Amino acid sequence: MTNQLQIHDTLIDLTQGDITDQDTDAIVNAANSSLLGGGGVDGAIHRAAGPDLLRETRTLGGCQTGDAKITKGYRLKARYVIHAVGPIYRPSDPNVANLLASAYQRSLEVAVENGLESVAFPSISTGAYGYPVEKAAAIALKTVSDFARVQDQIKLIRFVLFDPLTWRVYDQALRQISP
Ligand code: ADP
């Protein structure tokens, strides 16, 4: 299953699968602010990359919610991992949407600063952090498509959605974004 949208020089692409299999320049980790590993996609990335990843993330001093930091990819096909920290969803907090958008935006800025051209994202915050997928998908796709309109370095932004339900929600949300 795939769905794609070309915006200027950037292809935004949705696929279903396991992000640790991706051979994009970087894969993004839905990390927590300690950067010391966790469950979900974070655990899968640390297992696939091997113990050197934790050795490097230990040196970074954590990462604030809405920010992102880069490491090498070690045993992954991707050369780099960008560790982005999304917010824990709280319906009463007016800032959660900005923090989620910022996690995507900062990941792409870090990719540009490091000369990368292709980045794969998971659905940040919609697992253990409880962000409703419909809301999160709209924020994620708006943020990356706005980014695609104003830069030409990143040629591929891929979302790797683990389960079919999440894939369907992102597929619907991508149809709402105009080229
Ligand atoms: P968060 O704490 O940011 O909510 P989670 O890892 O709990 O992060 O979940 C984020 C999303 O990542 C969920 O949709 C989950 O199903 C998905 N996910 C889990 N493992 C993988 C994987 N190996 N590849 C891609 N996505 C994954």
Side-chain angles (χ1 to χ4, degrees):
M1 284 194 289
T2 185
N3 183 8
Q4 303 185 327
L5 177 66
Q6 182 78 37
I7 297 182
H8 303 312
D9 293 334
T10 307
L11 183 69
I12 297 171
D13 159 292
L14 309 182
T15 181
Q16 205 198 318
D18 183 335
I19 200 168
T20 64
D21 294 331
Q22 291 295 313
D23 62 358
T24 43
D25 292 340
I27 64 171
V28 175
N29 183 12
N32 59 58
S33 56
S34 76
L35 300 185
L36 299 180
V41 71
D42 195 357
I45 288 172
H46 275 272
R47 278 193 299 278
D52 287 341
L53 180 59
L54 182 59
R55 260 189 279 283
E56 184 174 358
T57 58
R58 274 206 196 104
T59 67
L60 298 178
C63 182
Q64 298 212 317
T65 303
D67 199 2
K69 291 187 178 178
I70 193 166
T71 66
K72 295 201 282 280
Y74 300 99
R75 293 181 196 157
L76 292 165
K77 290 180 199 153
R79 277 186 297 137
Y80 295 96
V81 179
I82 297 171
H83 304 265
V85 183
I88 298 170
Y89 186 65
R90 287 189 198 84
S92 58
D93 181 349
N95 213 23
V96 287
N98 294 332
L99 289 169
L100 184 61
S102 176
Y104 284 98
Q105 175 78 22
R106 287 290 305 134
S107 296
L108 292 170
E109 288 170 2
V110 166
V112 168
E113 285 161 14
N114 286 274
L116 310 189
E117 295 189 350
S118 57
V119 180
F121 283 100
S123 178
I124 297 172
S125 285
T126 66
Y129 280 6
Y131 215 116
V133 182
E134 282 79 4
K135 289 184 168 55
I139 292 165
L141 292 170
K142 179 172 192 323
T143 305
V144 307
S145 57
D146 286 351
F147 188 88
R149 282 179 234 285
V150 297
Q151 64 80 50
D152 58 9
Q153 182 182 312
I154 308 276
K155 305 293 193 267
L156 174 65
I157 300 173
R158 170 170 291 158
F159 285 83
V160 183
L161 292 329
F162 202 49
D163 59 285
L165 184 61
T166 302
W167 189 87
R168 270 207 300 282
V169 174
Y170 273 73
D171 178 51
Q172 287 303 318
L174 188 61
R175 293 170 200 276
Q176 309 304 314
I177 306 272
S178 42

